Amino acid sequence: MLTHFSTSILILGSLLFGSPFTTTSVVAAQEQEQGLLTSARVLTVDEQQEALNFILNKTHESGYSAIGLLDLETEPAVLSMRNSTSVPTSHFAFTFGLNRMLHDLFADAHLRVEVDAIVADATYATLDGLCLSWLTGDEPRLINSCETESARVGDVVTSMGGRTPADIFAMLQETIPHEQDFFLRALPQSWLVREDFLSYFGVLNDDSASVDLILTRDGVQRDVFVSIPLALAHTNGTTPNPSFVSFEVQNETSTAVFKLDECIFNMEYMVVLQDFWSTVDANKNVDTVVLDLRNNRGGSFLVATAFLQYITRDPYTLFDIKQRQSDEFCNQTPALCDPQTIGFLQSQGIDISNEVYDLPGSVLSIFLSQIAGSPSSLDLFNGTLYVLTSGVTFSSAHLFAAVIQRNNFGTLVGTPTGNTPNFWGNLLQFSVPNTDLTYYLTTTRTELNSTDGNDEGLDAIYPDILVPTTREDVLAGRDAQLEYVLEKNTPNTNGPATSTMPPTSSPDISGAPSTSYKSKNSKYHKSKKSKISRSYKSK
């Protein structure tokens, strides 16, 4: 059971991507019943100004003067946003305006306003059944990965409502807070087909209920004109949510795969983690472990501390923290401001008298180890560790992958992560008045420890082996990153494998699981599907 002190450290170890409210919007529900787009409801001048003042005041009260922003009202981004509130405007336009302002001020992927997820799921319409992901290449491109009545898997979007994918991506760059483009290419699929984004892109038809798409299909350079209607998501309340943590064992390839889609440090995680490593320890055939973080947007770094106890008992390099203090920080995380926690920090030589105090990785390691508990009695794993990453890999998941790479515990496979190596996190959350928005405000600067002098110029944690997903992988339903590892571990009983080279012009999908891969020598190979001989999923 977590003690009062360990709970405070658990909070400190959490670098959150974001958590939705647990409430719904009566106004949004009423407007949906009237046949209007929820995101198009009009905010008055007074409503906008109250919401904007709320955000600026919370930012100021939360200690942002410590990083040089002494008077937000004089910043050009704020002046521009203030001017835009002089006339009534739609909820979606106000939302994107706020995020443009926040991006111009901070360029921080954590710090943003976001529509409450429960409200969006319940009342925001989407393009029915369409699943769009970004392809990478000379120009941003979009591919569909779901079969619908109007669009097929593998269809490439040439135009959406008269706008090219490059136009749409440029609009995202202007208004979505981000640190680099890998994060933007890995935005949730639901966002790109949701009514507020479609309204902002200006691609809705006059009926505000459909979007005209031009698609390229079957590898033939011809256009397929499709009109996709907006529809509310089907919610019958009976579909169970999949577990955020699970594992599979592949005896044929001597590989065990640990899949972690959220960094949640709780009893479920600890039970599955113990079961996983016990299974690996008992199965002497398993010599390779794959940690799949491709769909993980963060949470508590404690999941990494607990996982790595099965890899090493020796001290390892973590990261330093700069913690910004404020009354609001203590209001939302009181355990971090109580005398017991302060006493512990002072006993470790931490000077907390400044508005921003430094917490070195060596002290953070003590904090995290106290919560994770005593190491398991199992033997340490001495095989090969791979970590699968993508642009979705963010916040604590990004740090998890970085610590493994920086300490030479394993090999990263996939595409770059969604954060810069050093970034802000540890969020405060506020409900923005007159809107369906949550304001996420960061308090902690995380700086990776490294002897690499090139860190400041890096825009992500890059995999050791770059393995993108191509359109051909999407069409075939292949998992490029995982099958790269599985093929390396598959015994070859038929002589040397035959290498194949797909067209070099094939664009790659950002961060999506698939199965063609790119090795360090930049050659592509084709791999076989492997059967899973034993699997476990937590209840």
Side-chain angles (χ1 to χ4, degrees), residues 7 19 36 39 90-91 93 125 136 156 158 194 231 235 244 257 270 287 302 346 354 400 417 440 504 522 530:
T7 301
S19 301
L36 302 175
S39 62
S90 64
H91 187 283
T136 57
V156 175
T158 304
R194 205 171 69 188
T235 55
F244 69 94
V257 181
M270 294 301 288
D287 59 12
L302 280 163
Q346 291 175 331
N354 296 322
F400 197 166
T417 62
Y440 296 103
T504 56
S522 299
S530 300

Side-chain angles (χ1 to χ4, degrees), residues 13 265 269-270 273 300-312 316 318-319 364-373 375 400 403:
F265 184 75
Y269 175 76
M270 294 301 288
L273 184 68
S300 171
F301 185 78
L302 280 163
V303 299
T305 303
F307 185 94
L308 292 175
Q309 285 185 339
Y310 296 88
I311 302 294
T312 183
Y316 53 88
L318 277 177
F319 43 86
L364 182 63
S365 178
I366 298 173
F367 282 14
L368 299 176
S369 297
Q370 288 193 8
I371 305 174
F400 197 166
V403 167

